[in-house]
Amino acid sequence: MHATCLPQVVFILLLMLPAGVLVTAAQDGGPSDDEVNAVAHQLYCPVCENVPLDVCPTQACEQWRATIREKLASGWDEAQIKGYFVEQYGARVLATPPATGLNWLVYVLPPLALVFGAFLVFRAVRTWQVEAVQQARVETSTEVDPYIARMEEELRRREE
Amino acid sequence: MIANFGYFALIITFITALYGVGVAAYGATQHKPAYVESARRAMLLTWPLITLAALALITLLINGHYEIRYVASVTSSTMPTYLKVTALWGGQEGSLVFWAWLMSAFASAASLRKWQRDREMLPWIVVVTMITLAFFLSLVIFFENPFARLWLTTDGQQVGAMLQPAGARALFPADGQGLNPLLRHPGMVIHPPMLYLGFVSFVIPYAFAMAALITKRSDDRWIRITRRWTLVAWLFLSLGLILGGRWAYDVLGWGGYWGWDPVEIAAFMPWLTGTAFLHSVMVQEKKGMLKHWNMILIILTYALVIFGTFLTRSGVLSSVHAFAQSAIGPLFFLFIGVTSITSLLLLGRRWSILKSENQLGSMFSREALFLLNNLLFMGILAVCFWGVIFPLISELVTGAKVTVGPPFYERATSPLWLGLLLLMGVAPLSAYASSTIKTIGRAVWKPALVSLIVPIALVVGGYTNIGAILGYWLAAFVAVVTLYEFWRGSIARSRRHAESLPLAFWRLAGRNRRRYGGYVIHLGVVLMAIGIIGIEVFQTETQATLARGEQLTLGRYVMTYDALSQFDTPDGRNVARAVVSIYRDGKLVDELYPRKDFYYASQQPMTIPGVRSTLEDDFYVLLVGWEPIAQQGATFKVYHNPLVNFVWFGGFVFILGTLVAAWPDQDPETARIRKRRQTSLARA
């Protein structure tokens, strides 16, 4: 075999494996692809970058999907399978961090930041409103004060 | 020779930029206009200089100089010429040159405006833009040199360097590795330049803001000068994001367009602050308020622009976009830190002169609603920023890496998006200073009632998802309010000027492009919201392995697997291409060709979907795998994406609205002269 043909052959052989596995599994009446993907969708490829397991095209992910299929066929439920993957590869396989320890901060900080922002906006608005009322009061009192009005009238006359 | 010339051009540009910084600062502080003028000319000179460097690199890419490390890493002899040109931004080093080239072009363009009224700002514009340019140039000159040659060292390692390392011999590879297959898509050809244009254009308003602070100007002049720059920046950033979404939909093969990937978010964050800024500057222009806040927003936008480039280029976060990994991260962090701290210190020093000129009359005035709009945008920004950096923090503190994926972002931002939709409906009906709960209520109740038709129709149609029903109601509410605003304005103008309704509409929009362009943008957002809710809530999918002639069913669609062929292509791919027939309600409607490409050189597979697109929905087919023996069996993943095309259609309307809002007004001086002429002609 010519050396340059090797990658083609390897590629074709690698692609044979999953499809063969899937066809066999489907024929055996095991878990359906959709059942496998429903679990895989909630897991992230531990090796690839930010790709959910159900759509990751690599051979490694294909094998992990096969693992999910095996576990489902053995009667494992979704939580057990997720737990298995976490045990094997760490919490990074989950789509969101488990709400434990430091991870709480992921869920707590954004709402706190929003509440704090809302407080700042509310305070700014109140301050502006109070200033507006005070200014209006000063303007109103200036308008009705007969002494100020008389003085302004005199000043006006002098200028004339 | 060409490589040496290009590298030399980069060095000269770098020195010119540094000269501009020094001389501009000296001229400004010592009140020597000749120095400032010299700095301005230096800034102008950077563009032709760096253009020479970029042209040198493009020449190397097109002519296949694989002895240059960058050329060997992003091109190959089988690539078409247009892809070789776009390989300029296909890798780390080239994209940094491209960034710097755009920065220089924008800085030069800014320097060509009429400066008579704002002469004191000019030197500081030169300082800010040339510091930014010099930073990017320093990265390519000292760390990520695109002109470095390939050498084979005595210990058998391939290294890139301008000068021959001791004992090493020059390498002349026969061919290159070629561009990342994911980047060989029309969307990806245009997407990065659009994003970069958006990033770079935001540097200009930031530079003017800093110039205003340094020269102690408390007015809104810097905002008025840069209004169009900001809109152009926002336009390009929006276009970049939309094109990126389309690319993901066509190429990445996950059935969607937005995966909350860290690099997507990196480009999205400056867009969020930029959008908040575009709204809040209107309050400063109209009421002389929010001066501090606008400064903070533009500083934040600038920092996020650099942060976005850093995330895209450094590969510090795991991401499908992390094509380029390098050691320039600490320098980026240093630059972001120094520029942000300096900007904030400057703002702190000028805090007292930026006092509001007006007070807020009502909690329901337009300025208060804009403030609320800003709060919601900042809330989304907080979620995005925290989601992106948390995995890093977790790894630093506990050593454990975690994933913050789409469910987090979707759950956290959905209520905020709904809040923004509500504000988009209410704010156009409010007035500056004077609106109260009563006046708002009087203006809102009719459109709210009319738009109720949509949720009622959905409930009657059997839809039960509360989020979707609420979202569509709000989208309908915004659409009714916006169209009513157009209608009301056109009718009033038509009556006053005795014009036909279409003419009145045209002139109304023409006279106040900013306002009506903004309304068109709102309509674009409504259309996009229809598409986003459609795919997010109502998307269905299934996967099955079919023998030839077998069918799978998804909703009203039936797909039959007809055939599969496998072949090599001249550009180094092995292609597996399936043929499937699509039936809808029992009728043949289409034939699709989902395929899987395998690039031999990069050993990278790519899944290209077969898609049947209508305004109502997309039927999106992926070839997952196939049986080898005579290709009898194949596995398909199929998505039904309702209303997804509203996202692209809405994006088009969105861009159209931005163009309307950004379209240059007639120069006031020219308008006055023309009016005077017309008057004198009428008299004569």
Side-chain angles (χ1 to χ4, degrees), chain A residues 8 34 37 44 50 92 95 135, chain B residues 318 359 403 405-406 542-543 600:
Chain A
Q8 284 98 317
D34 288 343
N37 282 339
Y44 271 68
N50 274 321
R92 66 174 303 192
Q135 196 177 326
Chain B
S318 61
Q359 282 78 39
T403 302
T542 188
Q543 182 174 311
Y600 291 122

Side-chain angles (χ1 to χ4, degrees), chain B residues 585-642:
Chain B
D585 301 329
K587 201 174 140 193
L588 178 70
V589 287
D590 217 334
E591 192 174 76
L592 300 177
Y593 312 100
R595 64 173 213 263
K596 207 156 196 173
D597 294 359
F598 182 78
Y599 286 80
Y600 291 122
S602 58
Q603 294 285 296
Q604 202 172 335
M606 234 177 112
T607 310
I608 308 292
V611 186
R612 180 184 189 263
S613 257
T614 64
L615 192 61
E616 188 187 340
D617 56 15
D618 270 12
F619 191 74
Y620 186 102
V621 185
L622 296 169
L623 175 64
V624 177
W626 60 95
E627 250 194 303
I629 304 157
Q631 284 101 34
Q632 282 297 313
T635 305
F636 295 95
K637 185 159 193 179
V638 180
Y639 294 88
H640 178 236
N641 296 334

Side-chain angles (χ1 to χ4, degrees), chain B residues 240-530:
Chain B
L241 288 167
I242 293 166
L243 285 170
R246 184 70 218 193
W247 167 77
Y249 192 70
D250 286 348
V251 171
L252 294 185
W254 69 55
Y257 50 84
W258 185 260
W260 292 103
D261 176 86
V263 177
E264 285 172 346
I265 296 169
F268 188 48
M269 287 193 289
W271 185 89
L272 288 170
T273 50
T275 314
F277 179 72
L278 278 174
H279 285 90
S280 68
V281 290
M282 285 192 260
V283 179
Q284 182 168 345
E285 283 180 49
K286 296 265 183 198
K287 304 286 293 176
M289 299 168 77
L290 305 182
K291 290 181 181 178
H292 299 119
W293 179 236
N294 285 328
M295 283 289 176
I296 291 170
L297 274 180
I298 199 66
I299 292 169
L300 201 55
T301 306
Y302 176 77
L304 288 170
V305 158
I306 307 293
F307 185 63
T309 315
F310 156 68
L311 285 186
T312 324
R313 292 293 111 214
S314 71
V316 67
L317 299 166
S318 61
S319 147
V320 289
H321 290 75
F323 303 117
Q325 309 237 339
S326 86
I328 55 178
L331 288 166
F332 263 108
F333 261 125
L334 188 69
F335 186 73
I336 294 167
V338 169
T339 50
S340 301
I341 290 168
T342 311
S343 309
L344 290 173
L345 284 175
L346 192 57
L347 175 61
R349 285 189 65 140
R350 301 287 184 262
W351 196 262
S352 56
I353 64 164
L354 295 174
K355 274 194 79 172
S356 277
E357 292 161 23
N358 277 298
Q359 282 78 39
L360 198 75
S362 156
M363 289 283 245
F364 295 91
S365 59
R366 188 173 283 196
E367 54 270 34
L369 295 179
F370 274 7
L371 208 54
L372 202 54
N373 146 304
N374 272 226
L375 173 69
L376 294 177
F377 274 116
M378 290 303 104
I380 296 169
L381 175 72
V383 171
C384 291
F385 185 75
W386 190 229
V388 166
I389 65 160
F390 185 77
L392 283 179
I393 293 174
S394 168
E395 203 174 355
L396 277 173
V397 176
T398 64
K401 211 163 180 185
V402 293
T403 302
V404 180
F408 167 77
Y409 296 104
E410 283 162 4
R411 256 177 259 152
T413 61
S414 296
L416 302 175
W417 289 120
L418 290 177
L420 278 171
L421 267 180
L422 179 67
L423 278 178
M424 267 169 59
V426 175
L429 301 172
S430 66
Y432 281 101
S434 56
S435 281
T436 61
I437 182 82
K438 266 189 180 174
T439 58
I440 288 272
R442 266 203 301 271
V444 158
W445 78 268
K446 280 182 198 165
L449 202 66
V450 172
S451 57
L452 258 181
I453 296 167
V454 171
I456 290 170
L458 285 172
V459 171
V460 171
Y463 293 97
T464 52
N465 187 299
I466 299 293
I469 291 170
L470 187 61
Y472 280 132
W473 182 22
L474 289 172
F477 172 58
V478 178
V480 170
V481 167
T482 312
L483 293 172
Y484 178 61
E485 280 290 294
F486 273 113
W487 171 256
R488 200 166 60 161
S490 304
I491 286 283
R493 188 181 164 94
S494 165
R495 280 183 191 148
R496 199 179 316 137
H497 298 277
E499 291 168 350
S500 67
L501 205 57
L503 184 69
F505 168 77
W506 180 255
R507 288 191 172 159
L508 178 83
R511 289 288 152 85
N512 198 344
R513 279 196 280 269
R514 186 185 194 178
R515 181 178 184 176
Y516 290 98
Y519 286 162
V520 175
I521 294 171
H522 283 189
L523 286 176
V525 173
V526 166
L527 292 170
M528 290 173 92
I530 291 170

